Amino acid sequence: MRSYCVLLRCLGLRCSGLRCAPNRPLLLVSLLSGLLLTAGCSSIQPWVKPYERNNLADPIMSFSPDPVEAGYLHHVFQSREGARGAEGGGGGGCGCN
Amino acid sequence: MAATDHALARPLNGQPGRLRGGLWLLLVALFSLPASAAVLPADRADVLYHSYEGGGVKIDGPAVLVRKSVTDDVSLSAQYYVDEISGASIDVQVLASEYAEERTQYDLGADYLLSKTIISLGYSNSSENDYEADTYSIGISQDFFGDLSTLSLSYAQGSDTVGKSTDPTFSEEKTTRSYQFGWTQVITKNLLMNFIYHVITDEGYLNNPYRAFRYLDNANDPSAGYTWLTEKYPETRTSHAAAVRGRYYLPYRAAFGFEYRRYNDTWNINAYNLDLSYTHPLGQHWILDLRYRFYSQSDADFYADLFPAENFQTYMGRDKELSEFTTHTFGVKVSYELDTGWSRNWLEKASVSLAWDLIQLDYDNFRDARRDDLTPGTEPLYEFDADVIRFFISAWF
């Protein structure tokens, strides 16, 4: 029973006979600690290894293989359209209308 | 210069100035992130000829870019760009306004690799006989999470002086500030994605001084004709744009690309575009790119093709770029690459590329006011096609 109550306290619950009532501040701290510990044990690891990136490194995968040409084309669209911004690589961040 | 021509000739405004509290916090956070191998852009040179032809106007000229590392951690770039303008757009034909014949732009940039973070600085100047623009920019990017993620932030500030070729005393100022956040993520060994959020604010003279709106002389009788008057624009504009794009590597060495972007601003223009592209190498030397883009926008609050009266509302404009319209773009690009294998010497790779895009613009509430034989407001809706051509030679060294 004693070890059971210790466990409950660790989880932020108060032991009173066989009944347990929530102790909210302790519960919150326990949950946060638990999350941090869990994160520490199994944090997300990079899932694509360096030796698996041949395809990504191929020049045909570039978002902007020719920056001068891409910048020019963004400029054309920006001049003819009301929208501007978020063009990505090669865009000039043009504020022009 | 004519508004339409002017717009296309307009410089790439850019970038940086004061960094506000939130941005500083983000910068500090970025510097404290665990770093991995960031890479400076490759050394290369491009010589490009560009041509835009459509709607009665032709804009073409050269562009030259040189990028070179001067040390292991510093890369410098310089670009020279020229627009030569000829012809007469619909705005010139209707309003008989004059226009500049040339715009010249210089860009200088520096990228600094610092403890696996890249810091970029830029300056741009654009000059024509009735418009001057200076832009400064600063940016920072960092790879982390085992090189699977790249975060970037940039700020730019531009100062423009707007003139009018028909009035030497006319001079107005405009300030543009740009804030951009970017995130690039490796999703799988075949899929790369990128997210960008971009805010741009303008303050000052935002009109095009050559453009005019038209209003009915008699609101109850359109056949009585109309009168042109210089447009009245708000003096501020803030826009938000968010884009998601991706590239997927296909099993037979080809790539599929997509982009979706949403846009809105305080003038109440709402827009989106969808891009699809396909890259296909042919043999060892050729690369073929195909592309389709669809764009759609609603009109600005103060836009009308024909206002009922002179003082109908506070702000009034008739720029077709502020109207409701859609565009379709079909593009093809062919590149021939030559791997010289001369890496012991100065030239590692070279390529020659030719690209052509056809843009079809269909306006939903901008009418062809050249048709003065028709009752105002009943003219046909305007539409035109534009051909955009680029021919360029690139060298990597």
Side-chain angles (χ1 to χ4, degrees):
Chain A
M1 185 61 169
R2 181 183 175 81
S3 59
Y4 177 65
C5 284
V6 169
L7 177 64
L8 287 177
R9 284 199 187 97
C10 283
L11 293 172
L13 299 174
R14 194 168 50 214
C15 190
S16 171
L18 290 177
R19 295 182 59 196
C20 294
N23 178 339
R24 291 193 176 174
L26 188 57
L27 180 64
L28 193 62
V29 171
S30 300
L31 282 175
L32 284 175
S33 308
L35 279 175
L36 285 174
L37 284 171
T38 310
C41 293
S42 60
S43 63
I44 302 171
Q45 297 295 316
W47 55 82
V48 180
K49 305 297 181 194
Y51 56 84
E52 295 178 312
R53 297 176 197 170
N54 287 347
N55 293 350
L56 298 171
D58 192 313
I60 65 171
M61 286 292 282
S62 171
F63 280 110
S64 180
D66 299 304
V68 186
E69 186 231 352
Y72 168 71
L73 204 55
H74 292 150
H75 182 44
V76 169
F77 286 127
Q78 224 166 41
S79 306
R80 288 287 165 266
E81 300 172 347
R84 58 185 186 176
E87 283 91 356
C94 175
C96 57
N97 178 27
Chain B
M1 110 196 278
T4 303
D5 315 330
H6 218 150
L8 184 52
R10 197 89 310 149
L12 296 182
N13 276 354
Q15 353 276 332
R18 291 172 299 158
L19 290 172
R20 313 215 167 164
L23 262 182
W24 274 120
L25 284 176
L26 281 170
L27 284 177
V28 170
L30 269 182
F31 275 117
S32 64
L33 287 169
S36 46
V39 180
L40 287 171
D43 292 353
R44 67 183 284 176
D46 294 86
V47 178
L48 175 140
Y49 166 78
H50 58 86
S51 166
Y52 170 97
E53 191 162 9
V57 65
K58 179 170 184 174
I59 304 172
D60 67 345
V64 178
L65 169 77
V66 178
R67 171 176 281 283
K68 182 85 178 86
S69 300
V70 289
T71 66
D72 285 347
D73 50 12
V74 175
S75 171
L76 302 179
S77 66
Q79 181 177 335
Y80 170 72
Y81 175 97
V82 175
D83 276 330
E84 298 272 0
I85 303 143
S86 58
S89 68
I90 184 173
D91 306 290
V92 175
Q93 294 173 42
V94 168
L95 300 169
S97 55
E98 296 180 22
Y99 57 93
E101 292 176 344
E102 183 174 306
R103 180 177 79 83
T104 306
Q105 181 179 327
Y106 296 93
D107 298 276
L108 297 172
D111 294 281
Y112 180 37
L113 186 63
L114 173 68
S115 186
K116 300 172 184 177
T117 298
I118 294 178
I119 297 171
S120 305
L121 299 172
Y123 168 71
S124 174
N125 171 266
S126 171
S127 184
E128 52 198 302
N129 69 353
D130 58 357
Y131 204 101
E132 190 79 20
D134 289 295
T135 300
Y136 298 88
S137 65
I138 184 170
I140 181 170
S141 73
Q142 179 153 357
D143 294 351
F144 65 101
F145 193 53
D147 286 358
L148 294 195
S149 309
T150 304
L151 263 179
S152 64
L153 291 170
S154 65
Y155 176 75
Q157 182 160 319
S159 301
D160 299 4
T161 303
V162 185
K164 195 173 180 181
S165 60
T166 52
D167 179 4
T169 64
F170 182 92
S171 179
E172 297 283 352
E173 301 294 324
K174 171 185 162 187
T175 301
T176 299
R177 295 183 177 86
S178 155
Y179 310 82
Q180 182 165 287
F181 166 83
W183 181 300
T184 303
Q185 181 70 45
V186 172
I187 306 293
T188 71
K189 60 183 182 180
N190 292 313
L191 177 61
L192 196 57
M193 291 197 67
N194 168 247
F195 169 78
I196 292 180
Y197 177 61
H198 196 172
V199 178
I200 300 172
T201 65
D202 294 319
E203 285 180 72
Y205 186 82
L206 308 184
N207 284 37
N208 182 320
Y210 300 101
R211 287 207 179 165
F213 70 91
R214 57 178 186 162
Y215 64 90
L216 287 172
D217 295 331
N218 182 343
N220 299 316
D221 180 15
S223 62
Y226 57 81
T227 301
W228 293 102
L229 200 62
T230 302
E231 293 182 316
K232 300 173 193 170
Y233 275 28
E235 293 191 336
T236 61
R237 183 187 192 187
T238 299
S239 65
H240 299 259
V244 176
R245 49 179 64 83
R247 286 192 75 77
Y248 185 76
Y249 189 92
L250 296 164
Y252 50 91
R253 193 176 179 237
F256 169 73
F258 62 91
E259 173 188 309
Y260 179 70
R261 180 179 66 150
R262 291 296 301 238
Y263 170 90
N264 69 71
D265 63 28
T266 49
W267 292 358
N268 211 21
I269 294 176
N270 290 284
Y272 74 94
N273 64 273
L274 178 67
D275 290 35
L276 301 173
S277 64
Y278 178 70
T279 304
H280 191 105
L282 298 165
Q284 283 196 326
H285 299 295
W286 295 92
I287 294 179
L288 176 68
D289 278 288
L290 301 172
R291 159 192 174 115
Y292 169 73
R293 178 178 186 272
F294 175 76
Y295 172 86
S296 174
Q297 76 169 55
S298 65
D299 56 2
D301 278 339
F302 56 92
Y303 171 86
D305 177 66
L306 181 59
F307 286 91
E310 178 179 358
N311 294 309
F312 181 68
Q313 57 193 43
T314 307
Y315 302 117
M316 290 183 275
R318 191 182 173 270
D319 270 19
K320 59 185 180 302
E321 289 74 31
L322 304 181
S323 71
E324 182 178 317
F325 66 93
T326 57
T327 73
H328 296 271
T329 303
F330 305 91
V332 59
K333 179 165 86 171
V334 179
S335 300
Y336 181 80
E337 287 192 352
L338 189 62
D339 194 340
T340 63
W342 299 342
S343 55
R344 283 171 298 175
N345 300 318
W346 66 275
L347 185 65
E348 292 180 2
K349 191 174 80 168
S351 74
V352 180
S353 304
L354 178 64
W356 170 63
D357 283 75
L358 170 66
I359 308 177
Q360 298 176 330
L361 299 101
D362 295 304
Y363 296 89
D364 295 330
N365 57 1
F366 178 83
R367 296 183 180 277
D368 189 346
R370 294 172 299 187
R371 294 293 303 273
D372 51 11
D373 55 318
L374 299 173
T375 305
T378 67
E379 303 96 337
L381 293 169
Y382 187 57
E383 61 179 25
F384 74 98
D385 293 349
D387 293 299
V388 186
I389 293 170
R390 289 86 69 205
F391 175 74
F392 57 102
I393 299 172
S394 311
W396 288 260
F397 44 86

